[in-house]
Amino acid sequence: MNAPFPSAAPSAAEAARPHQDQSQVDAARGTDAARERALVLGGGGSAGNAWLIGVLAGLSDGGLDVTQADLVVGTSAGATAAAQIAGAAPSELLAAILSEPRQQPRPAAAQQPRPAAATGGRGPASANHMERTGRIIAAAGDVADMRRRLGASALELDADDSWSQRWRATVAARLPGPDWPQRPLLITAVDARTGEPVVFDRHSGVDLVDAVAASTSSGLPYAVGDDRYLDGAYRRNENADLAAGYERVLVLSPLGGRTRMPLDWGMQLAVQADELRASGSQVETVLPDSASLSAFGSNLMDLSTRPSSARAGYDQGQELAEQLAGLWR
């Protein structure tokens, strides 16, 4: 992987641009030629990212390259994977995961986000991140209220931009290149100050590295100029609804379509898939099989599980290649 890219602060004109809601994204994509095949990559931590790359590599080696989709939607760990496949082949990315230095397994408690000063990378906020966000979700009246509460809580923890700078360097080192692809790529996030969903693309005036860093920021808010962003999974875990209007949609969900939010909020993958089908799309979802779940272990943020998660994803992708060919071709 390349060294971190230099930071490019948005210009005053760029910083003044409104955030893109769904209608703006549709308008931006309206000039793109094909609206046939969409690939949606959901969130799921370090292990989930490795699994996504493994599945994509397995599909490719099985004769089905889905990385050349007419649209790719990436959220959180899926945002990293989406940016990675924009600049490198899945087989190359898989080889990089399998060659990563061996990590010592760490229990879930040891992987919970810690104060930014103690981490030097991801892991912002506090040791009880899941408990803190769980309380916020439980107290919220609806999705919009949840996002506003999560943003306000995160902003209270935000001391300065030093964590954002370190996280940017970490994310940049994971990407094959700094440039947005010409093929449509949507990266999701949430505005920490307003709670509004945000969708970045190459027209947004935000560097690809910053878009991915924002989408993967689950604790402290990530700074882009004067704006602050939270993890795109707080919009929806997979954000498959952004593929509305595409004929065929393939969704890879490391979290298995689960959600931490109340089911009546409609955040879960099953609802997203039903929405797409109701609008005329053919939809297939790929969830981790038993071997992949075993590889994940109990902690999706445990870096030591990345090689095994990637291998399990690769095997699953190879097994599914023929089955999914009918959707994709």
Side-chain angles (χ1 to χ4, degrees):
M1 296 295 179
N2 296 336
F5 323 128
S7 177
S11 66
E14 290 169 338
R17 285 181 189 160
H19 296 145
Q20 293 180 315
D21 62 16
Q22 179 62 56
S23 62
Q24 290 171 309
V25 171
D26 287 341
R29 294 189 318 210
T31 58
D32 293 308
R35 293 173 64 92
E36 296 180 0
R37 299 174 299 180
L39 174 65
V40 178
L41 305 177
S46 300
N49 170 264
W51 177 81
L52 289 168
I53 295 301
V55 171
L56 294 170
L59 289 173
S60 181
D61 285 356
L64 185 64
D65 182 7
V66 298
T67 65
Q68 299 304 306
D70 302 307
L71 170 72
V72 178
V73 178
T75 295
S76 198
T80 304
Q84 288 171 324
I85 62 173
S91 58
E92 178 184 346
L93 297 168
L94 175 62
I97 293 172
L98 297 180
S99 65
E100 289 175 358
R102 185 178 179 84
Q103 303 282 337
Q104 291 298 315
R106 298 179 68 184
Q111 288 284 339
Q112 292 295 334
R114 292 169 287 160
T119 63
R122 193 185 172 89
S126 68
N128 63 348
H129 170 73
M130 293 298 288
E131 180 183 347
R132 178 180 64 86
T133 55
R135 287 197 303 269
I136 292 170
I137 292 168
D142 55 25
V143 174
D145 185 34
M146 176 199 72
R147 295 189 189 115
R148 287 191 296 268
R149 288 170 180 259
L150 286 168
S153 176
L155 289 169
E156 289 179 357
L157 302 168
D158 190 16
D160 54 45
D161 290 346
S162 61
W163 175 80
S164 292
Q165 294 167 2
R166 292 195 299 273
W167 186 231
R168 188 183 201 279
T170 298
V171 170
R174 295 173 177 172
L175 305 187
D179 299 325
W180 284 92
Q182 290 303 303
R183 184 177 289 107
L185 168 60
L186 303 181
I187 302 294
T188 63
V190 169
D191 187 315
R193 292 203 169 104
T194 67
E196 295 176 357
V198 178
V199 181
F200 297 112
D201 67 5
R202 69 177 185 270
H203 306 294
S204 300
V206 172
D207 288 351
L208 178 60
V209 178
D210 287 316
V212 174
S215 189
T216 53
S217 181
S218 63
L220 287 177
Y222 179 77
V224 181
D226 293 331
D227 294 322
R228 299 292 184 273
Y229 298 100
L230 290 181
D231 198 300
Y234 293 131
R235 182 188 182 277
R236 259 179 159 176
N237 287 346
E238 296 82 15
N239 293 295
D241 57 287
L242 292 174
Y246 282 75
E247 295 178 11
R248 290 163 283 171
V249 182
L250 176 62
V251 185
L252 308 187
S253 175
L255 292 177
R258 301 188 306 274
T259 179
R260 297 174 64 200
M261 290 57 165
L263 296 183
D264 59 3
W265 290 1
M267 300 283 276
Q268 62 269 34
L269 177 57
V271 173
Q272 299 172 51
D274 286 345
E275 291 169 356
L276 290 170
R277 293 185 181 111
S279 67
S281 299
Q282 299 180 58
V283 183
E284 291 286 351
T285 61
V286 177
L287 315 179
D289 59 15
S290 58
S292 297
L293 292 174
S294 178
F296 291 173
S298 62
N299 181 14
L300 285 164
M301 291 307 297
D302 186 349
L303 295 175
S304 71
T305 68
R306 281 177 57 78
S308 60
S309 299
R311 290 190 191 96
Y314 179 85
D315 292 342
Q316 190 174 355
Q318 279 205 311
E319 291 177 2
L320 291 173
E322 183 176 353
Q323 173 185 329
L324 294 174
L327 168 78
W328 205 251
R329 291 175 176 162

